[in-house]
Amino acid sequence: MRMRLLMCDHPAWQRAEDGTAYRVVRGEGSLWLVTWRRGDQPETRFLGGSDAAGPHMDVFVAPPGGHRLPAALSSALVALGPVGRVRNPDLWDAFANSIIRQVIRAGHARKLYRRFAEAFGERVETPHGPAWLFPSPETIVDLDDDAFRAMGLTFHAPALRAAALAYSERGEKWLTLAPCDLFEELQTVTRVGSWSAGATVADFLHDWSLYPYGDRAVRTWATRAGGTLWPDSESEFARAWQAATGAHLSTLTLLTLAWGVTHGDTG
């Protein structure tokens, strides 16, 4: 299906001078460059490694019915057309990014992710400019407290270290798990709760029914796109959202976030 919009919410996405959005992704020992310009379809280029299959792109389309969303919000999501998103092939990156997003706003988390990647990650040259991969679990474990402090990640350091150690020990098993099982397994890591586990699964496997859909971003965009007041508290909104979206919880959550990406920034 031809997509109308590519969702570029992951902090690794960058914008070249000519307007091209680009990102280097890592998975199964290989690297790919993904590029996109509005009005065109995304392109993927194999950069090297052992597997040239390429990252998977899913396309999401708003259902015309089968839910109880307010009419204005439903119309806004339908108007997006087919929305594509690159499924993150790097579970470690998805996990680490979700930890950095803990407790802070999206815009600030994006800056911290990029600063940390540029300081300690692998640099990859592309035709559009340099890109950086997030530091490996081995690199994270070897960093001292001063390194995290210099990057503004003192609060996140314990969780990142615990996640890096756990991934080194159990990452191969995690790659084989179904969404719900991975969601539960990630929460066995110190300082990782349901928010980070759900955000990781959504990014890696595109099961957005496990995303923390009660959070500020979904609440904000659901209200702005539909012009309808929703419950203010996270738990009350989550219950109302689940009831309103029904069997389309995953798709409608992703599309509401995509609407926000095109109309503003919660960070």
Side-chain angles (χ1 to χ4, degrees), residues 93-166:
D93 176 90
F95 194 20
N97 181 41
S98 74
I99 290 173
I100 291 177
R101 291 174 60 193
Q102 289 177 356
V103 224
I104 59 177
R105 292 186 175 184
H108 185 43
R110 234 182 344 260
K111 292 176 182 177
L112 291 177
Y113 173 98
R114 291 178 178 175
R115 184 190 305 164
F116 198 59
E118 290 181 19
F120 301 108
E122 177 185 351
R123 177 180 172 128
V124 181
E125 299 297 337
T126 83
H128 306 282
W132 287 266
L133 299 171
F134 194 81
S136 67
E138 294 76 17
T139 298
I140 297 294
V141 171
D142 288 340
L143 292 178
D144 59 23
D145 290 343
D146 289 341
F148 285 101
R149 187 178 302 111
M151 294 292 104
L153 286 167
T154 299
F155 172 82
H156 300 85
L160 284 170
R161 284 179 174 138
L165 287 171

Side-chain angles (χ1 to χ4, degrees), residues 45-77:
R45 178 185 300 181
F46 179 58
L47 298 180
S50 58
D51 181 4
H56 186 79
M57 292 194 190
D58 292 308
V59 180
F60 300 81
V61 179
H67 58 77
R68 299 170 57 191
L69 290 182
L73 176 55
S74 179
S75 297
L77 300 185

